[in-house]
Amino acid sequence: MADTRWLDEGEQRTWRTFLAAVHLLEGSLDRQLRRDSGLPHAYYQALVALSEAPGGALTMTELAGRLRSSPSRLSHAAARLEEDGLIHRFKRLGDRRTTIAELTPRGLKVLREAAPGHVHEVRRVLFDSLTQEQVDQLRAISEVMLGELDPEGREPRYAGPNGAGIRD
Amino acid sequence: MADTRWLDEGEQRTWRTFLAAVHLLEGSLDRQLRRDSGLPHAYYQALVALSEAPGGALTMTELAGRLRSSPSRLSHAAARLEEDGLIHRFKRLGDRRTTIAELTPRGLKVLREAAPGHVHEVRRVLFDSLTQEQVDQLRAISEVMLGELDPEGREPRYAGPNGAGIRD
DNA sequence: AGAACACAATTGAACTCTCAAGTATTCCGG
DNA sequence: CCGGAATACTTGAGAGTTCAATTGTGTTCT
């Protein structure tokens, strides 16, 4: 790190614009979800992940992997979601260290009601303004980033064409 | 919002990959900065913005605008930065409601020491793996998002080629 | 001048996230 | 089958962010 290669003009513009855009985008999504459903975006994502799992249930560790969340963060989140009755945690017989988180009917209902507004917002702030080409570019770029940041490729799977879950 | 246009397969993949990448990217930057400089990324950005302003000073409102931060957030941040002696707040004579935040020598020193490691990290997680073409695409995409999210176009200026500030 | 309004910034409470530790359970080599 | 290592998860403290409310100051209109 002796000699630093600073960002050139173009990189700098890209970086700052990107940072600003992402910052506003996250704020926008979070505000919409909180306002309309009382859920932070991160918690919404947890419900989505559960809804897509067979039986609406996942191990805490599996769920953390899908969300790329630390165990601790997920634990706190699950505590809150459970308190609100949106999920339910229990242990499987024969395995006393693993905890299963399961979407409750109420959680599914809340998710179903939240989804349309959320998707609408995602379209508004992102897809509505991008060309099809740009969407593809963004995917390619995101995949590169992800490859760098998550080399293990933790849970790169998505619901199939007829995935049972709630979309987002 | 009667009928929801869900994300199609391609959009969904893009969206989720993007979310994951951004989430990890932010975590990575924040961790690096905190570890090496004791500064969260958001606070680092505040110091950068000040360093680029003439005299290393800006109104709280101007600074908030550049960072696209709420007044409240900035106020809390400034309180912490001031306590650490990295900035100094004062009022101009003749205007008793505006507060000026000014980078202290110590703040500038901390920023100078933090910058190389941060830029290195930004390269590592982003620019090193992207082609020049992708960098340009990402800029264009980010500009579109920003246009949607910040129509006013709050402070779209960047330091010129020889900007006096610290790069990031 | 005075009232209403807009603007600049701060405050405090609630909430979420992170990090470091801690508890409990299961796995595995010798 | 025993003891150390790895795994699964939780907990608590500390920090940052958000929202709503508040304070104080400038502006404007009549």
Side-chain angles (χ1 to χ4, degrees):
Chain A
M1 209 164 319
D3 54 345
T4 299
R5 232 177 88 230
W6 299 100
L7 302 187
D8 66 34
E9 186 67 11
E11 288 167 333
Q12 179 119 196
R13 285 184 67 94
T14 297
W15 178 234
R16 300 215 177 172
T17 310
F18 175 71
L19 274 187
V22 163
H23 175 62
L24 292 181
L25 182 139
E26 290 183 323
S28 199
L29 291 175
D30 212 54
R31 221 168 300 115
Q32 183 275 323
L33 274 172
R34 288 185 125 105
R35 173 166 43 73
D36 296 348
S37 320
L39 286 173
H41 187 208
Y43 292 14
Y44 175 87
Q45 291 177 50
L47 297 188
V48 170
L50 287 179
S51 82
E52 291 174 348
L58 283 174
T59 282
M60 292 296 278
T61 298
E62 286 169 339
L63 184 51
R66 278 166 172 64
L67 302 174
R68 268 158 268 247
S69 155
S70 69
S72 169
R73 174 155 88 127
L74 182 56
S75 212
H76 285 298
R80 200 272 227 184
L81 289 172
E82 187 164 43
E83 205 176 333
D84 290 358
L86 306 186
I87 69 168
H88 167 231
R89 278 183 293 183
F90 62 92
K91 293 196 176 281
R92 224 178 342 210
L93 282 88
D95 182 353
R96 304 207 289 167
R97 70 179 159 169
T98 301
T99 298
I100 316 277
E102 183 185 35
L103 204 54
T104 61
R106 180 140 186 285
L108 185 55
K109 179 165 170 287
V110 166
L111 179 55
R112 285 212 168 105
E113 289 168 359
H118 172 64
V119 171
H120 187 265
E121 182 71 4
V122 172
R123 285 207 173 284
R124 186 183 75 76
V125 301
L126 189 66
F127 292 107
D128 280 352
S129 338
L130 296 183
T131 65
Q132 178 59 54
E133 212 187 355
Q134 286 178 317
V135 172
D136 295 338
Q137 292 167 357
L138 182 57
R139 174 161 72 237
I141 290 167
S142 300
E143 277 166 359
V144 171
M145 286 196 242
L146 201 50
E148 194 58 53
L149 289 157
D150 187 11
E152 326 278 316
R154 236 157 137 187
E155 312 299 343
R157 296 171 215 97
Y158 300 96
N162 280 336
I166 291 287
R167 311 298 206 75
D168 82 330
Chain B
M1 209 163 321
D3 53 343
T4 298
R5 234 178 87 231
W6 300 99
L7 301 187
D8 67 33
E9 186 68 11
E11 288 167 334
Q12 178 119 198
R13 284 185 67 93
T14 297
W15 177 235
R16 299 215 177 173
T17 311
F18 175 70
L19 273 187
V22 163
H23 174 62
L24 293 181
L25 183 138
E26 290 182 325
S28 200
L29 291 175
D30 213 54
R31 222 168 300 116
Q32 182 274 322
L33 273 171
R34 287 185 126 103
R35 174 167 43 73
D36 296 348
S37 319
L39 286 173
H41 188 209
Y43 291 15
Y44 175 86
Q45 289 177 44
L47 297 189
V48 169
L50 287 178
S51 82
E52 290 174 348
L58 284 173
T59 283
M60 292 298 276
T61 299
E62 286 169 338
L63 184 50
R66 279 166 172 66
L67 302 174
R68 269 159 266 246
S69 155
S70 69
S72 169
R73 173 156 86 128
L74 183 56
S75 212
H76 285 297
R80 199 272 224 185
L81 290 172
E82 187 165 42
E83 204 176 335
D84 290 358
L86 307 185
I87 70 167
H88 167 232
R89 278 183 294 184
F90 62 94
K91 293 197 174 281
R92 224 176 343 208
L93 281 88
D95 182 353
R96 303 208 290 165
R97 70 179 161 169
T98 303
T99 298
I100 317 277
E102 183 185 34
L103 203 55
T104 61
R106 181 142 184 282
L108 184 56
K109 179 164 172 286
V110 166
L111 180 54
R112 286 212 166 106
E113 288 167 0
H118 172 63
V119 172
H120 188 264
E121 183 71 3
V122 172
R123 286 208 173 282
R124 186 183 76 76
V125 299
L126 190 66
F127 293 107
D128 280 353
S129 338
L130 295 184
T131 64
Q132 178 59 53
E133 212 186 356
Q134 287 179 315
V135 172
D136 294 338
Q137 293 168 356
L138 183 57
R139 174 161 71 236
I141 290 167
S142 300
E143 276 165 0
V144 171
M145 288 196 241
L146 201 50
E148 195 59 52
L149 289 157
D150 186 11
E152 324 279 316
R154 238 156 135 188
E155 312 298 344
R157 294 174 214 96
Y158 301 96
N162 279 337
I166 292 288
R167 312 296 205 78
D168 80 331

